[in-house]
Amino acid sequence: MAGALMNVLRLARAGVVLAQYGVRFVPPGMKVPAPLLIARALAVPIRAVTWPFRARQPKSARITEALASLGPSYIKLGQFLATRADVIGPELASDLSQLQDKLPPFPMRESRRAVEEALGGRLEDHFSTFGPPVAAASIAQVHKATVADATGPRDVAVKILRPSVERRFKADLDSYYFAARQIERFHPPSRRLRPVAVVDTLKRTTELEMDLRLEAAAISEMAENITDDKGFRVPSVDWKRTSKRVMTLEWIDGIPIADHARLKAAGHDLKSLGLITLRSFLRHAMRDGFFHADMHQGNLLVDKSGDVVAVDFGIMGRLGAMERRFLAEILHGLITRDYRRVAAIHFEAGYVPQHHSVEVFAQAMRAIGEPIHGRTAEEISMADLLGQLFAYTEVFDMETRPELILLQKSMVIVEGVARSLDPGLNMWTAAEPVARDWMQSNLGVIGQIKDVGEGASTLGKVLADAPQFMLRAQGTLKSLDQMTRDGLRLDETTIRRLAREEARASWSGRAALWIGALSLAAIAALHLWG
């Protein structure tokens, strides 16, 4: 009960702040549950008082300022919702896509304390020099430092979590879960969008970001995946100076990929860099099923050798074998105009319920694919195409797939980077070799041999586990036989406990209904104004 009240208060505070800045989180025209209509009236006076002071600000600036004032977790929530146009509408998603994760740095004394608590001893025991922060975001900040070892001095980047950031995120995530559960309970049309699953995904990504050992492990895993790739690399990890709250990496002395003038002056080929960036991302997603999900221009550098180097691995995406096949076959099918196959893949993957027609879905895929052909390279957007694919989710009763939504968001970012380097980049020409290689490796002869090997391995495991399985089955059958003869009995203590739980459940159920109604009113300001 107390936890629910605290969540209502947190959400109410957020709603007031958003109302003050004139931010609405419900797309225009969307049907709003009745309890929220009451709270909309409550939000109007707040907006009336503050609006004259905010009206001169651009909408995207108001959103950025509002979320920044609410704290780090709301900045992350805003960035995450920028990928969910299906939930908040394309207009707000576009505004949130401009949200920058930048905050003032925390003091050097806090950085020193964090390093010494994480690594032990004094800061000088680990670093020869330790400079002021060079970048500060909602979760962590980065310092440039120097270490001395057997090979001599070398520059490193030291990433340090903000003090108490875990506690703040946990409290805010609790309120997000509370709001999502109430929305699913009281607004059935929203259940298809799976609000709780959306918060689950946000929780997983932030948990990964707040354990820097996991980020270091992600860098190490990608380094193994791309050992034989040319033109793309990641920093090396200094595991000796890495812990949960502090991570040390190779310092990348490179040119930001957005600085086209410096890249040209250094003799780098911008078109080649664009192609490398796009194909590397697609290769990571389709071949490895593990991709950098935040490859914007600020996270990409070009080193002296001309390699594209990615940094900041806090947000990573994973695709299972089914999702990779789905992606590769869709790209290949749209390139070759095999719309029937593209539709069939959706049904085979279980993304489209069986009561729909494959032929009708193929017709929808044709409506997306045909306009692509015959257009110039500058007019073709793979990210827009993926967006159109996901736009059909409601028409065909498709549930939200968070991993594919993250892929689409990442594709939008990478496509933007590649196009900035080469405006004439033909996305389909660039993607086709990657999709074709994946198809040949996984669906051709090599793939069939691999499947046979995996099938044999699975059969062997089943046979090896058979004796233990039979013993468990025998024990289960004996228990069932005993219950059949003697009946199922409960002792008095168990019966009394069940009665207490039933009474408590009945009371808490009634309380939950009232709390749910109040919470919906409280979060209304978070979702809409005027």
Side-chain angles (χ1 to χ4, degrees), residues 21 23 57-67 95 98-99:
Y21 284 86
V23 179
Q57 291 180 290
K59 186 168 61 172
S60 59
R62 295 200 310 270
I63 292 173
T64 297
E65 193 174 338
L67 295 180
D95 291 333
Q98 303 174 44
L99 179 63

Side-chain angles (χ1 to χ4, degrees), residues 306-382:
D307 288 343
V308 176
V309 188
V311 297
D312 194 354
F313 286 73
I315 305 176
M316 303 297 294
R318 286 192 185 274
L319 297 175
M322 182 182 294
E323 287 76 25
R324 280 181 270 168
R325 177 180 177 182
F326 171 75
L327 175 62
E329 292 220 40
I330 281 181
L331 291 177
H332 194 263
L334 290 171
I335 291 168
T336 59
R337 294 180 167 178
D338 190 350
Y339 303 116
R340 182 66 169 68
R341 183 58 187 153
V342 172
I345 283 295
H346 280 74
F347 281 81
E348 290 174 14
Y351 295 157
V352 182
Q354 292 297 321
H355 64 266
H356 286 288
S357 163
V358 175
E359 287 71 23
V360 174
F361 194 74
Q363 182 180 348
M365 295 301 98
R366 181 179 292 274
I368 295 173
E370 280 302 303
I372 294 170
H373 299 280
R375 296 169 66 183
T376 64
E378 292 85 350
E379 297 175 311
I380 300 173
S381 171
M382 190 183 305

Side-chain angles (χ1 to χ4, degrees), residues 473-517:
Q474 183 180 10
T476 302
L477 289 172
K478 285 182 178 179
S479 298
L480 288 172
D481 180 63
Q482 185 73 22
M483 288 170 59
T484 301
R485 285 186 282 106
D486 301 338
L488 178 63
R489 298 181 179 179
L490 297 177
D491 59 41
E492 292 185 8
T493 303
T494 302
I495 293 172
R496 284 197 298 271
R497 186 182 299 120
L498 287 172
R500 285 197 302 270
E501 290 298 326
E502 177 65 24
R504 185 189 307 169
S506 176
W507 179 88
S508 62
R510 290 193 298 270
L513 286 175
W514 280 101
I515 292 171

Side-chain angles (χ1 to χ4, degrees), residues 44-347:
V44 171
I46 298 172
R47 180 173 179 265
V49 173
T50 59
W51 183 245
F53 304 99
R54 308 292 181 193
R56 292 185 294 273
Q57 291 180 290
K59 186 168 61 172
S60 59
R62 295 200 310 270
I63 292 173
T64 297
E65 193 174 338
L67 295 180
S69 69
L70 287 170
S73 61
Y74 280 86
I75 293 176
K76 283 296 176 188
L77 176 64
Q79 290 182 315
F80 182 75
L81 288 177
T83 70
R84 298 304 308 271
D86 57 328
V87 175
I88 61 174
E91 183 180 351
L92 181 57
S94 176
D95 291 333
L96 287 173
S97 67
Q98 303 174 44
L99 179 63
Q100 297 296 310
D101 189 2
K102 294 181 180 179
L103 287 178
F106 51 86
M108 284 287 286
R109 66 177 180 276
E110 295 288 352
S111 298
R112 169 180 283 273
R113 181 184 301 130
V115 170
E116 292 177 349
E117 288 179 355
L119 305 182
R122 300 171 63 249
L123 181 143
E124 290 77 10
D125 297 334
H126 307 284
F127 303 101
S128 304
T129 65
F130 194 87
V134 296
S138 58
I139 287 181
Q141 68 185 30
V142 177
H143 299 254
K144 185 177 182 180
T146 307
V147 299
D149 51 27
T151 60
R154 56 186 172 86
D155 292 335
V156 294
V158 184
K159 186 172 183 177
I160 304 172
L161 292 184
R162 284 188 173 274
S164 304
V165 69
E166 298 95 334
R167 178 179 54 79
R168 178 64 183 273
F169 263 84
K170 183 181 184 305
D172 286 338
L173 278 169
D174 284 345
S175 65
Y176 300 162
Y177 271 117
F178 181 77
R181 284 192 290 268
Q182 305 315 311
I183 291 169
E184 285 196 359
R185 182 171 187 176
F186 292 99
H187 192 234
S190 297
R191 291 170 189 163
R192 185 190 64 83
L193 300 174
R194 302 171 65 196
V196 173
V198 170
V199 182
D200 283 338
T201 305
L202 176 63
K203 179 176 183 286
R204 285 193 297 271
T205 58
T206 54
E207 283 179 343
L208 291 175
E209 286 193 82
M210 287 187 288
D211 187 340
L212 297 180
R213 296 168 301 186
L214 296 177
E215 181 175 347
I219 297 171
S220 177
E221 181 178 347
M222 180 165 280
E224 289 183 4
N225 291 341
I226 65 174
T227 299
D228 298 325
D229 294 352
K230 305 297 182 185
F232 187 95
R233 72 180 186 90
V234 298
S236 59
V237 179
D238 184 340
W239 287 102
K240 181 181 177 182
R241 297 173 178 86
T242 293
S243 68
K244 182 177 181 179
R245 306 194 89 254
V246 174
M247 177 177 66
T248 305
L249 302 173
E250 166 194 3
W251 178 266
I252 302 299
D253 189 11
I255 302 172
I257 205 165
D259 195 338
H260 297 174
R262 284 181 61 193
L263 290 173
K264 289 179 181 177
H268 298 297
D269 183 347
L270 267 59
K271 290 186 177 182
S272 176
L273 292 174
L275 192 61
I276 287 170
T277 301
L278 178 66
R279 282 185 176 168
S280 295
F281 173 79
L282 290 173
R283 199 174 289 117
H284 302 160
M286 281 191 278
R287 181 194 65 193
D288 307 324
F290 187 57
F291 59 92
H292 192 308
D294 200 20
M295 275 179 58
H296 59 73
Q297 291 185 334
N299 285 340
L300 295 172
L301 303 169
V302 181
D303 65 16
K304 294 178 181 178
S305 64
D307 288 343
V308 176
V309 188
V311 297
D312 194 354
F313 286 73
I315 305 176
M316 303 297 294
R318 286 192 185 274
L319 297 175
M322 182 182 294
E323 287 76 25
R324 280 181 270 168
R325 177 180 177 182
F326 171 75
L327 175 62
E329 292 220 40
I330 281 181
L331 291 177
H332 194 263
L334 290 171
I335 291 168
T336 59
R337 294 180 167 178
D338 190 350
Y339 303 116
R340 182 66 169 68
R341 183 58 187 153
V342 172
I345 283 295
H346 280 74
F347 281 81

Side-chain angles (χ1 to χ4, degrees), residues 408-427:
Q408 184 211 1
K409 172 252 188 184
S410 304
M411 189 71 250
V412 170
I413 295 172
V414 173
E415 184 177 294
V417 173
R419 278 273 170 78
S420 71
L421 293 162
D422 179 11
L425 181 63
N426 188 316
M427 307 303 290

